[in-house]
Every structure is written in structure tokens, then in C-alpha cells.
Amino acid sequence: MKKREETSLRPTKSLLERLIGSFGRILSIVRKELFVILCDKGSRAILIAPVFIQAVLFGYGATFNLERVPWCVYDESRSALSREFIRGVEASGFFDMKRDARSAGEFEMSIDTGESLIGLRFPTNFAKTGEAYLVTDARNSTTAGVAAGYVAAVAAKLNASPLEPASGPSVKFNERYRFNENGITRYAIVPALIIALALIQVLILSALSVSREREDGSFDMMLMTPATSVEILIGKTVVPTVIACLQAFLIFAIGILWFEIPFAGSFMTLGVFVFGFSLSMVGLGLAVSAVASNIQQSIVSIIFLMLPMIILSGLFTSIRAMPEWMQTITIFNPLRASITGLRAIYFEGTSLIDVLPIGWPVALVAVISMGTALRLFRTKIV
């Protein structure tokens, strides 16, 4: 009887021992991995720095609330009611007067160039009718809606308690959305994705270029060929650039054919612009690829670079919604400059010559990153 019990318990003990042994081995591997991550300086930086920086960027940058709204006014009425409303706008604390226009052309120019997000136009009969015009730059429809809501709040306050002696008819606005008459959100997002996804594609492909081959061992074989470091560097820029341009063309076609977003510019101008931007950003990915020792480091580094560039580009949230110190930082963001230039080409039909001055951050990053990539490339392969 006793032997039977011992025989029946033997499989149970064997299973338990295997489970304990397996758990011990798993625990040893976990300890090893934890030790490797915490003892590696680069891994510790990846664990702490990106989380802190991205939390701050998202907290300040990912907001639709406008702290300051740049605006212009064209007051043909010159009446007490128009002056009263202008004082109400300035007293609200949300608006930053950019231009007191003296003509309709000057008023329209302030909106078209992006100097002002909204414009208030008071016609000559405003004192009698109370009807005015609210013109909004709706290339970013969400921001335009928020700014128009601020103006509506000022009008509602004025209508609820008119001040003497400027009391008169109730103020009401006829809204006009520039570049996006119906205020459709995708008008702001889909065209900008042409350049944003080109950036993502270029950075990922170029960043993985060297690190992947280094892990596979094929990079050493490439060094045995007659190709110089400059030739290898140039050769590695072609494929990411071409693929990024092809994907950008696909997004452009979807926007035109599927979403029916009107295109006012030249296809040739847009193509040259996207190609130049993609080619300029290749150096950034190759610099990361030359520094990183493996694929994991390349991917983490690219994500760390891409997120701030996208957040601070004005793609999803307006630059004007960010604090002033962060708006200053975004000036050096090549993606912000490129999206601004692309929207000018897409919606306004701006020529390439007129867009070039906007792209100086792209040129700056291209010169620095390509020079760095070339220097690192020579160091790695010599």
C-alpha cells in the first residue's frame, strides 16, 4: 500500500520539480537582462530621458487651447460700435493684434500669409446693421474653430450687456473660412501627411541601413568592395529617398481622388519639394545608423527623434496653442517648416522659389546631419 502511494506521488513530484527548475531558469534570465539594461549607460539613458522629454512635450505641445490668437482688423465703419467691439477683443487677453489694415488687400494678405489666424472686417454700415465678417485661416480647421469661438464669446458678452454710448444693434458675424470653406478637418491633416510620412519612412529605412547590415555581417563584406565611404553613403541615400517619394505620391493621390481635397499648386513643384525634403532628412537617419551598434538602438533613437518633430510640427495641434518658449523651439524644426511650405504649395499654389526661404531649418539640419553622417561613416569603415 505504501509503495503504491509513493508510486502515485512520483509523477507529481517530478512535475513540481520541473516547474521549480523552469521558474529558476526564467528568474536567472530575468536577472541577467535586468543587469544588462541597468549596467549599460545607453540603455539607462533610453529608459529615463525619452520618457521625461516626451511627457513634457506632450503636456505642452499636444493641446488645442490657444493662449494667444494673432489677428488683424479692417475697420471701414470707424463707428463707436466697432471700436467698442475691438476694445472687447483686446481686453479678452486671448488676442494679439498683428495688423490694423488700411485696405482690403492688406487685410487679405495678413490672413493668406499666416501672419494672422483670424481677421475682423467691419463694413461701412456696421453701426446700423451690426453685421461684420470673420475671416479665418482654416488650413488647420480645429484651431480656426477655437479662435472663432473666442470671437463669438466676445460678441455674446457685448450683446448681453451693451455699454453706453456705443449701444446699438446686436453684433453678428458672417464667417468665411479661407482655404477650407467647409472647415473639414482632413484638409489640414491629409496633405500634411505627405511630408510627415515621408519623414518617417526616410528615417526608419536609413537608420536601419547600416545597423542591420552590421548585425548580419554583410557590412564588412561591403567594405571589401572598391566603393569608397562617400560612394557607399550616396548609394544608401537613394533607396530611402525614392521609397519615401513614392509613398508621398500615394498619399497625394488618395487625398485628391478619394477625399477630393482640392489641389491649387503645381504637381512638379510639390514633387521637387518632397524629394528635396526626403533627401535632406536621409543624413539624419544615416547618422543614427552609424552611431547605433544594433537595430534596437537605431529604432529607439529614431522614435526619440520623430515624436518631438511631429508634436512640434503643427500637424495635429496648432503651434499657436503652445507656450511661447516652445513656439521658439519649433522654429528650428524641419518638419514644421516643411509642412508650412507644403500647405502653401497645396492650398495657395505657391511657387518653389517663394517656398525656399521657409525651408532654411531643413537645409540646416541637412548640412549638419549629412556632414556628421559622412564623418561617422568614414570613422566606422576606415
Side-chain angles (χ1 to χ4, degrees), residues 222-236:
M222 187 189 303
L223 301 183
M224 299 173 63
T225 65
T228 64
S229 59
V230 176
E231 292 169 344
I232 295 175
L233 181 64
I234 294 175
K236 285 186 172 294

Side-chain angles (χ1 to χ4, degrees), residues 158-227:
L158 181 64
N159 293 334
S161 56
L163 302 176
E164 295 293 343
S167 59
S170 297
V171 178
K172 46 189 176 294
F173 285 97
N174 296 314
E175 297 185 6
R176 178 188 175 194
Y177 292 96
R178 294 282 289 157
F179 310 112
N180 186 0
E181 289 77 7
N182 298 316
I184 302 174
T185 305
R186 69 172 66 98
Y187 275 40
I189 296 178
V190 175
L193 286 177
I194 295 173
I195 208 77
L197 293 184
L199 170 73
I200 294 173
Q201 193 66 52
V202 162
L203 288 182
I204 291 178
L205 290 178
S206 58
L208 296 180
S209 177
V210 177
S211 55
R212 181 181 60 247
E213 290 190 10
R214 187 179 292 122
E215 284 195 357
D216 294 341
S218 59
F219 188 70
D220 293 333
M221 298 180 63
M222 187 189 303
L223 301 183
M224 299 173 63
T225 65

Side-chain angles (χ1 to χ4, degrees), residues 273-340:
F273 183 82
V274 173
F275 175 79
F277 172 78
S278 302
L279 186 63
S280 300
M281 292 297 102
V282 167
L284 195 58
L286 289 176
V288 170
S289 184
V291 172
S293 57
N294 52 56
I295 294 178
Q296 181 182 4
Q297 288 186 7
S298 295
I299 293 175
V300 173
S301 300
I302 287 302
I303 293 175
F304 178 65
L305 286 173
M306 283 193 306
L307 282 180
M309 292 175 69
I310 293 174
I311 295 169
L312 301 179
S313 68
L315 174 60
F316 298 109
T317 58
S318 174
I319 300 295
R320 298 184 179 103
M322 304 175 187
E324 291 187 5
W325 64 268
M326 186 169 283
Q327 293 185 35
T328 303
I329 295 175
T330 63
I331 294 174
F332 301 94
N333 183 2
L335 185 57
R336 176 196 173 179
S338 300
I339 288 178
T340 302

